[in-house]
Amino acid sequence: MASMSSVPRPKHITDRYKIIGFISSGTYGRVYKAKGKNGHVGEFAIKKFKPDKEGEVGYTGISQSAIREMALCTELSHPNVVHTVEIILENKCIYIVFEYAEHDLLQIIHHHSQPNRAAIPARSIKSIMYQLLHGLLYLHRNWVMHRDLKPANIMVTSKGEVKIGDLGLARLFQRPLNTLFTGDKVVVTIWYRAPELLLGARHYTPAIDLWAVGCIFAELLSLRPIFKGEEAKMDNKKSVPFQRNQMQKIAEILGLPTKDHWPLLSSMPEYAQLANLSAGNSRVASPQTLHKWYWNIVHMNKYPSDPASMTPGKEGLALLKGLLEYDPQKRLTAEQALQHPYFTDDDKPGENCFEGSGIEYPLRRVSQEDNDIRTSSLPGTKRSGLPDDSYGGRPAKRLKEA
Amino acid sequence: MAANYWESSQRKYWTFSKKGLADVRRAQESEPANKQLIATYPLPERRLLNIYFHLQLAKLAKRMSVRQQALATAQVYMRRYYTKVEIRTTNPYLVLATSLYLACKMEECPQHIRIVVGEARQLWPELISSDTSKLGECEFNLISTMNSQLIVHHPYRSFIDLQTTFSLVQEEVSLAWSAINDHFLTDLPLLHPPHVVAITAVLLAVVLKPTQGNLQSHAQSLQTAMSTIAVPPSNTAPTTAQARIQKLITWLAESSVSIEAVVDCVQELISLYDVWESFNEKQCKEQITRFVKALALDK
């Protein structure tokens, strides 16, 4: 029951937080690292949303993605989802205050992909996957689709806890008023985008998040994106181009999807595009297969054949196959994935993904260039050493709001 | 959480006991700054104002072809906002338009701010500024006042499940549906969980003969109907209607839904239909316009 409420006292961001530096920027605005002030203890990441139009002096209305993120962040609470401390609205700006996470999966992958470094320990990967799937199961049980899972959005604390972050594209999918497609024409960063999205599905399901989890799993193993396609840019605002190159990258490993295996395939709006996908691309015609890709990676990254704690093993391949399944209805759900022998057999996943690894990961880069959270410097005009999305020319998510 | 009412901010922060809600309002009214305003600018009683706001909001929603669910969310936003803010310190027309603008975004059927302001100005030309930043600023206040707790659980979803459980026929469905729509005009969204409202709607639909027309004309027979559910029907030759009422009562008894809560919902709806008799749109409009203009709240 609600208690007696009085008129809320306005909170000021600068009374409660001392900004230590700038972390990253994106289309939404900027993220800062901060310390609590005046008895408010701890480290925090503060996401500051820019006003809808740059340089606008008046109120222009808050973007739908900011509204979604605020609304979901106030409701969500799970150990594997980034915790929202508070939301402050002040001076035309929105600040979402999150618990601070020292690392993220992109940074961890990047660290291991440096020359002469070993791959990510198999135990760490298992723990990361287990925690990631737990967070995702919680979101899906609460009818929340994340829609932008990728390594940069998966946070890891210094205690080795994995937390799903960035709900800027997330939305509720229980009995939607419109098809999900009507709201946002394009979701999910291209390399992690599920085949049904690439084929133009109007009514997609939480299975799109599991495809992205499969891509992340593959990337943790191989240290590079498994399907690194080139994005076809939108030529005008009305039509969404078919992502031919991305679909080819998938087919080069998995082969082309078939109607026998995926019965609803032929009802996909872009189905006809599949017919000529192998034209001029011999790798699509004779695909590598996930099996070969996997064992090749296991070999190259020097995972031993046993013991179970040292290698992702054959169950790792089975899980990967279940996640990178073309037919969204056959793809593993978060719940099914968590019951997979990969997690339940032999070596059980740990709660701390760093446990026993002995690896010191670098701390998150924090730039001192811009540490006044109140200044009106425009997002994107200044950049910290390495903004999160920029390793190896990573594509940013594309979001087109109707 | 989002799909779970029990973990929701709605249950934790926006569901009041009757006394709790009355206390909140009394505290608001007794603030010195508000006392003066209340004395200077009398307004019709809250339920009449709610009817007025509902009618205005429905007009605006209709112009923009907004779906019922977004309209319902807007009504809840207004109700919540005014538990924290004295109405005479606001331009209710702006709050109303802003609630709908925000609700449309939240319910995934967004409307452009300029469209909302344009349509609102068509309806209330003297009372809404053409400056869209006014609506933007109001949105900011609305979200801040509601602590960013924007996800609203409505009775519609529970009702869709119950409708199957009790095999309601089309007339009953529409009767129940209108009971749910009407509950947004009362304090019920602040007092009871959505599934209690949904079961109340089913009860009304089953107990009343749908052929009797709309609910409003039946405040009297509702009272009678309520007394019949208290007495289990006799065993002699139960009619189909009686059998279903019996099923409903059994269901209620086995569920964790409190009968008192359901009775309270029915009473609240009855009193809404009662007070509707004395609704005077012109008077509401004049009294609102008076304080909005005198205090320059439309500027």
Side-chain angles (χ1 to χ4, degrees):
Chain A
M1 283 284 165
S3 56
M4 274 267 295
S5 57
S6 55
V7 177
R9 253 174 290 122
K11 285 187 212 156
H12 302 292
I13 195 90
T14 49
D15 289 348
R16 295 180 52 79
Y17 301 96
K18 178 184 188 305
I19 304 303
I20 295 172
F22 162 70
I23 297 174
S24 66
S25 67
T27 45
Y28 52 84
R30 306 164 74 78
V31 180
Y32 297 84
K33 182 177 179 179
K35 270 201 164 108
K37 253 164 100 169
N38 302 327
H40 186 43
V41 185
E43 288 186 323
F44 305 92
I46 303 181
K47 187 168 182 175
K48 177 191 180 184
F49 287 87
K50 62 172 177 174
D52 225 9
K53 282 190 200 105
E54 289 188 10
E56 191 70 45
V57 282
Y59 291 89
T60 53
I62 300 168
S63 74
Q64 196 183 3
S65 71
I67 298 270
R68 278 180 188 144
E69 192 166 359
M70 281 194 278
L72 288 171
C73 283
T74 49
E75 303 280 329
L76 294 168
S77 169
H78 187 273
N80 299 118
V81 175
V82 171
H83 173 67
T84 302
V85 178
E86 62 179 332
I87 300 176
I88 294 177
L89 287 90
E90 184 184 357
N91 261 334
K92 306 187 185 75
C93 287
I94 297 162
Y95 303 92
I96 306 187
V97 182
F98 298 104
E99 63 179 320
Y100 184 70
E102 196 60 74
H103 313 281
D104 58 63
L105 290 188
L106 183 58
Q107 182 207 45
I108 288 171
I109 290 165
H110 185 66
H111 178 78
H112 284 273
S113 64
Q114 301 301 305
N116 306 320
R117 287 219 180 106
I120 306 177
R123 292 210 63 194
S124 294
I125 295 181
K126 189 176 283 191
S127 172
I128 290 167
M129 289 298 292
Y130 192 70
Q131 297 189 55
L132 171 57
L133 284 163
H134 265 288
L136 192 58
L137 175 63
Y138 169 79
L139 293 181
H140 289 176
R141 281 206 173 140
N142 285 290
W143 304 90
V144 177
M145 251 191 255
H146 187 283
R147 307 199 300 176
D148 195 22
L149 289 178
K150 58 179 174 181
N153 288 344
I154 317 293
M155 306 298 146
V156 184
T157 68
S158 44
K159 289 188 219 154
E161 304 154 305
V162 175
K163 289 165 188 277
I164 297 174
D166 199 345
L167 293 157
L169 261 187
R171 62 163 286 179
L172 294 172
F173 60 92
Q174 193 182 27
R175 301 183 210 268
L177 291 177
N178 296 310
T179 68
L180 298 178
F181 181 81
T182 319
D184 311 284
K185 298 276 183 283
V186 178
V187 293
V188 192
T189 306
I190 187 92
W191 299 340
Y192 308 92
R193 204 175 289 165
E196 62 271 31
L197 291 173
L198 296 169
L199 293 170
R202 262 51 175 173
H203 292 280
Y204 51 86
T205 65
I208 63 158
D209 287 337
L210 275 304
W211 177 273
V213 169
C215 296
I216 293 168
F217 186 26
E219 194 164 334
L220 289 168
L221 293 165
S222 76
L223 304 173
R224 32 184 255 112
I226 180 171
F227 307 127
K228 198 174 174 183
E230 268 167 47
E231 181 159 27
K233 300 294 174 205
M234 281 202 222
D235 41 3
N236 62 58
K237 290 190 173 177
K238 292 258 158 60
S239 75
V240 181
F242 173 60
Q243 296 292 346
R244 188 182 162 84
N245 186 257
Q246 181 63 29
M247 197 66 220
Q248 275 175 338
K249 294 289 175 196
I250 296 172
E252 284 172 14
I253 296 177
L254 302 186
L256 286 168
T258 62
K259 273 191 287 186
D260 286 346
H261 184 77
W262 179 0
L264 291 175
L265 179 63
S266 54
S267 60
M268 294 285 151
E270 304 281 8
Y271 173 62
Q273 302 272 6
L274 289 176
N276 62 3
L277 212 58
S278 53
N281 186 326
S282 58
R283 280 173 300 191
V284 169
S286 50
Q288 185 186 11
T289 76
L290 197 55
H291 186 87
K292 275 194 187 144
W293 179 90
Y294 184 85
W295 291 115
N296 182 36
I297 289 299
V298 166
H299 175 73
M300 280 203 341
N301 283 347
K302 302 189 175 69
Y303 288 108
S305 47
D306 62 296
S309 62
M310 299 293 286
T311 178
K314 64 176 184 7
E315 292 304 348
L317 173 59
L319 175 63
L320 188 61
K321 277 187 174 165
L323 293 168
L324 297 180
E325 157 65 55
Y326 268 127
D327 186 346
Q329 293 187 327
K330 295 197 183 107
R331 200 173 299 149
L332 292 178
T333 64
E335 191 169 12
Q336 288 164 346
L338 283 167
Q339 284 155 12
H340 195 277
Y342 173 69
F343 296 117
T344 55
D345 279 5
D346 304 328
D347 190 53
K348 304 272 191 300
E351 283 178 14
N352 170 0
C353 73
F354 299 142
E355 197 182 341
S357 86
I359 300 164
E360 289 276 326
Y361 291 97
L363 301 185
R364 188 178 289 286
R365 285 205 190 201
V366 175
S367 140
Q368 298 303 314
E369 284 168 44
D370 166 26
N371 53 12
D372 186 356
I373 198 163
R374 292 171 311 163
T375 52
S376 55
S377 70
L378 296 176
T381 54
K382 283 183 188 172
R383 299 208 129 191
S384 161
L386 254 173
D388 275 4
D389 277 340
S390 73
Y391 296 140
R394 283 181 179 260
K397 79 187 158 213
R398 305 269 318 254
L399 168 62
K400 160 83 186 74
E401 292 200 17
Chain B
M1 196 347 277
N4 180 354
Y5 169 77
W6 301 103
E7 297 294 318
S8 68
S9 61
Q10 178 166 340
R11 192 182 78 88
K12 283 187 258 182
Y13 306 108
W14 296 103
T15 306
F16 301 80
S17 66
K18 272 207 161 159
K19 182 178 178 302
L21 186 58
D23 288 347
V24 166
R25 286 177 173 157
R26 206 171 309 113
Q28 194 190 93
E29 283 161 11
S30 55
E31 277 183 37
N34 293 342
K35 265 184 165 169
Q36 180 66 40
L37 281 173
I38 293 166
T40 319
Y41 304 103
L43 283 175
E45 76 146 294
R46 192 179 311 275
R47 283 175 301 181
L48 292 171
L49 272 184
N50 286 342
I51 295 171
Y52 180 73
F53 290 149
H54 164 73
L55 295 173
Q56 299 302 312
L57 198 54
K59 273 189 206 169
L60 181 60
K62 196 174 173 208
R63 292 184 74 98
M64 304 191 300
S65 312
V66 169
R67 304 284 292 265
Q68 174 58 35
Q69 187 169 313
L71 177 63
T73 299
Q75 282 173 297
V76 174
Y77 287 168
M78 281 196 84
R79 204 67 22 90
R80 288 180 178 184
Y81 183 69
Y82 284 132
T83 63
K84 295 205 173 187
V85 176
E86 162 54 42
I87 187 165
R88 295 164 184 85
T89 62
T90 68
N91 174 359
Y93 294 98
L94 183 63
V95 172
L96 200 144
T98 309
S99 296
L100 192 62
Y101 170 64
L102 180 59
C104 285
K105 280 191 278 193
M106 202 54 235
E107 300 296 345
E108 303 286 347
C109 51
Q111 295 273 347
H112 198 282
I113 190 165
R114 278 198 300 274
I115 304 279
V116 179
V117 170
E119 293 296 340
R121 275 174 63 78
Q122 295 282 321
L123 278 176
W124 318 294
E126 302 295 308
L127 293 149
I128 293 271
S129 158
S130 61
D131 180 0
T132 53
S133 74
K134 295 284 176 206
L135 196 125
E137 184 178 8
C138 185
E139 178 186 36
F140 221 75
N141 290 335
L142 212 56
I143 296 174
S144 193
T145 304
M146 295 193 291
N147 293 320
S148 313
Q149 288 145 356
L150 303 177
I151 295 177
V152 180
H153 295 257
H154 292 309
Y156 299 114
R157 279 179 192 147
S158 308
F159 174 71
I160 289 167
D161 298 334
L162 289 170
Q163 164 187 346
T164 326
T165 311
F166 295 104
S167 346
L168 300 191
V169 298
Q170 190 47 51
E171 291 92 342
E172 293 165 334
V173 171
S174 45
L175 195 65
W177 203 261
S178 61
I180 294 176
N181 291 347
D182 288 348
H183 106 283
F184 290 109
L185 280 71
T186 69
D187 282 335
L188 288 176
L190 297 176
L191 296 171
H192 292 289
H195 61 271
V196 171
V197 175
I199 190 72
T200 304
V202 172
L203 183 82
L204 292 176
V206 171
V207 169
L208 289 172
K209 300 278 174 292
T211 47
Q212 289 174 336
N214 67 1
L215 284 173
Q216 234 165 298
S217 56
H218 287 286
Q220 291 279 300
S221 51
L222 267 174
Q223 288 281 23
T224 329
M226 281 314 289
S227 55
T228 64
I229 68 155
V231 186
S234 63
N235 288 332
T236 53
T239 63
T240 2
Q242 277 172 334
R244 285 169 75 214
I245 293 169
Q246 187 55 53
K247 184 181 175 186
L248 196 61
I249 292 165
T250 316
W251 186 92
L252 266 173
E254 285 168 3
S255 75
S256 57
V257 177
S258 102
I259 304 276
E260 293 81 57
V262 175
V263 171
D264 187 51
C265 288
V266 174
Q267 299 288 3
E268 198 71 38
L269 282 171
I270 293 171
S271 83
L272 169 71
Y273 301 137
D274 271 345
V275 80
W276 209 314
E277 302 288 314
S278 58
F279 175 67
N280 179 336
E281 180 166 349
K282 191 161 164 281
Q283 189 194 20
C284 286
K285 187 179 172 182
E286 282 170 1
Q287 290 184 319
I288 293 168
T289 308
R290 192 170 150 249
F291 77 77
V292 170
K293 288 291 176 194
L295 300 168
L297 295 166
D298 53 337
K299 294 292 177 264

